[in-house]
Amino acid sequence: MKLCLVAFNGKIPLLSSIVGRFEEHVSEYLDEVEVERKREKLPEHAYSEVRDQYLASALLDILRNVKGEYDRVLGLTSEDLYAPGLNFVFGQARCPGREAVVSVARLLDPNPDLYLERVVKELTHELGHTFGLGHCSDRNCVMSFSSSLLEVDRKSPNFCRKCAGLLRGNLKRGG
Ligand SMILES: [Zn+2]
Ligand SMILES: [Zn+2]
């Protein structure tokens, strides 16, 4: 499974640690994980001055154009993201699809471990969506919906048994 982690311009704190931890974590679920890193420019047309946020789906469009034989392309940005009708989103994904994006803007914490754990959870969550997984009612499952940091911190970075099974099934079908 070849993953491309795309850092949008602007500093992503502890990016190397994020890549290392994420690779290790998803290797529990995916075979032969390889993570490659790239950089892309933020699409300025995606910026809303009124909201001081970027439109998440516009970043997904940029990721769609990332060339390479990648199974999944995951973006990371330090800018805050929104989707129509929502004040903000931690991330967004094509479900199912190849692209997903996560914002670290609201995940920052003085404790680096807590910050890294949050980013890995949200990346894993969006990755799950790319494999067609929906939101899970198990609040401990990484696929449970989070609309606040409290909910991010409450869930584990792991897929519950049901979601792990769905993921395996989708992988077998060539997800
Ligand atoms: Zn979600
Ligand atoms: Zn679940």
Side-chain angles (χ1 to χ4, degrees):
M1 179 77 37
K2 204 163 169 193
L3 308 177
C4 184
L5 212 78
V6 176
F8 283 97
N9 58 316
K11 193 164 162 47
I12 313 286
L14 304 177
L15 182 58
S16 292
S17 304
I18 291 172
V19 176
R21 282 217 195 183
F22 178 63
E23 183 167 359
E24 195 186 326
H25 180 58
V26 296
S27 292
E28 291 176 34
Y29 299 99
L30 309 173
D31 289 334
E32 296 172 52
V33 176
E34 232 184 285
V35 183
E36 213 169 284
R37 278 166 65 167
K38 283 199 177 185
R39 292 200 81 88
E40 286 287 340
K41 276 207 179 81
L42 276 167
E44 278 318 306
H45 65 268
Y47 180 67
S48 160
E49 213 159 302
V50 188
R51 308 182 62 133
D52 190 24
Q53 289 173 312
Y54 282 77
L55 180 65
S57 63
L59 275 65
L60 293 181
D61 289 339
I62 298 290
L63 298 175
R64 188 173 51 204
N65 292 324
V66 168
K67 302 260 187 302
E69 297 290 302
Y70 303 114
D71 296 294
R72 294 294 183 274
V73 179
L74 309 170
L76 269 177
T77 177
S78 51
E79 298 290 342
D80 201 21
L81 298 177
Y82 78 97
L86 295 171
N87 287 330
F88 76 93
V89 291
F90 288 118
Q92 195 170 307
R94 305 244 187 254
C95 180
R98 190 181 75 137
E99 300 90 25
V101 65
V102 167
S103 164
V104 304
R106 293 172 189 259
L107 305 177
L108 294 166
D109 192 87
N111 175 352
D113 271 321
L114 181 57
Y115 161 71
L116 288 169
E117 196 178 323
R118 285 171 176 168
V119 178
V120 167
K121 282 178 190 176
E122 289 311 298
L123 278 172
T124 306
H125 178 98
E126 299 305 337
L127 181 70
H129 281 319
T130 68
F131 286 107
L133 301 191
H135 286 143
C136 181
S137 58
D138 180 343
R139 289 180 158 193
N140 197 40
C141 175
V142 75
M143 290 314 295
S144 70
F145 175 69
S146 307
S147 59
S148 70
L149 263 189
L150 215 69
E151 290 167 306
V152 175
D153 289 340
R154 193 180 47 201
K155 69 184 174 187
S156 85
N158 301 313
F159 294 97
C160 73
R161 202 188 273 214
K162 188 192 86 188
C163 290
L166 287 171
L167 180 63
R168 271 194 305 275
N170 292 353
L171 283 168
K172 253 188 220 143
R173 281 196 294 276

